Amino acid sequence: MSNTLPVLAIGFAALGAIMQPSAARAATSDDELWIETGIKGDIAPGTDFKLELETRRRDGPNEYILGAEFNTDVSDAVALGGGIEIHDEDGFTEVRPYQQLTFGVGKFDFRSRIEERFYDGADRMALRLRQRARFRTPIANKVTGFASGELLYQLRDRNEGGPQRIDQWRLNAGATARITPTLDLTGGYLFQIRPRDNGNTRHTHVSQVSLFYRF
């Protein structure tokens, strides 16, 4: 089972390359570091809550995100939830409420999320659909590995006349360690593909680290 995670990660990366073969040749690339801290835990039977603060470090202005999310089990396999994120990048603000449904079976879970995105100076609210499939499995004592693939699709642009299109593909792999009974430390790698009609596809390599206190 320990070999399953790297195989899946390689498979997701290969899938992304196949989906964008011509765009990849013209792509530009950059690197980012995402640092996340927060608290999470159960606030009622079958209902969990998460509060997080994230910094995305990159060339140019960094991005800062404050977010809150809850999820409630409606059956053994299905959870409904939602949340809100406030993004700030050098004084430019986006407020992003969202709703989501998660279906779990065995070591897999599938999440469908719809985001309403409010930007400073935009013509209107933007809409984005996110569809994610994730695999998780224990890989060592108190360590859980994961791999996921996600499609982010722009249903409505923030400006009148803007396109409907694929916004991003995200391919992610990493591991979470329970370092104390109340602290989880996660490290991961995220590969973002942003295809655009003009051929200016962008690839972003993201190193991720997060620390969560569990209450």
Side-chain angles (χ1 to χ4, degrees):
M1 182 62 71
S2 60
N3 293 327
T4 304
L5 187 65
V7 169
L8 282 175
I10 293 168
F12 280 132
L15 179 62
I18 292 169
M19 289 184 297
Q20 299 297 331
S22 60
R25 289 193 293 269
T28 56
S29 220
D30 55 12
D31 300 286
E32 297 185 8
L33 171 63
W34 294 4
I35 303 170
E36 183 182 26
T37 59
I39 60 173
K40 59 184 177 182
D42 294 334
I43 57 174
T47 300
D48 62 73
F49 175 77
K50 178 175 70 174
L51 181 68
E52 61 185 338
L53 178 64
E54 183 176 346
T55 303
R56 296 181 176 179
R57 300 185 179 276
R58 56 173 69 117
D59 289 339
N62 294 330
E63 183 177 5
Y64 301 92
I65 303 167
L66 176 64
E69 179 183 298
F70 74 93
N71 291 279
T72 298
D73 294 336
V74 296
S75 74
D76 291 340
V78 177
L80 290 175
I84 187 168
E85 294 178 349
I86 301 171
H87 295 239
D88 181 85
E89 185 176 346
D90 199 25
F92 179 77
T93 301
E94 176 196 349
V95 179
R96 185 189 300 176
Y98 60 87
Q99 303 79 43
Q100 62 189 26
L101 181 148
T102 305
F103 173 73
V105 53
K107 295 181 179 181
F108 290 88
D109 62 74
F110 305 88
R111 188 188 70 190
S112 182
R113 175 185 289 184
I114 184 77
E115 299 174 326
E116 299 84 33
R117 310 178 71 186
F118 299 88
Y119 294 90
D120 287 343
D123 296 336
R124 59 187 183 182
M125 176 190 75
L127 282 172
R128 187 167 68 177
L129 176 67
R130 298 177 59 163
Q131 302 281 69
R132 187 192 71 187
R134 182 175 62 177
F135 172 80
R136 292 185 293 179
T137 187
I139 56 175
N141 184 34
K142 299 182 180 179
V143 179
T144 300
F146 62 85
S148 68
E150 185 174 18
L151 166 66
L152 291 76
Y153 188 83
Q154 181 173 281
L155 296 169
R156 187 171 78 168
D157 191 71
R158 62 188 177 184
N159 296 315
E160 295 285 350
Q164 290 183 339
R165 56 174 166 78
I166 294 174
D167 183 42
Q168 298 178 37
W169 293 97
R170 290 187 176 185
L171 309 169
N172 193 200
T176 298
R178 180 68 54 86
I179 58 175
T180 76
T182 57
L183 285 179
D184 287 347
L185 178 64
T186 299
Y189 166 74
L190 172 67
F191 181 47
Q192 292 179 305
I193 305 168
R194 295 185 175 92
R196 294 298 180 263
D197 292 339
N198 59 12
N200 293 326
T201 295
R202 178 169 291 277
H203 293 165
T204 303
H205 304 274
V206 181
S207 300
Q208 298 172 299
V209 61
S210 71
L211 183 67
F212 270 87
Y213 172 79
R214 303 182 68 91
F215 58 85

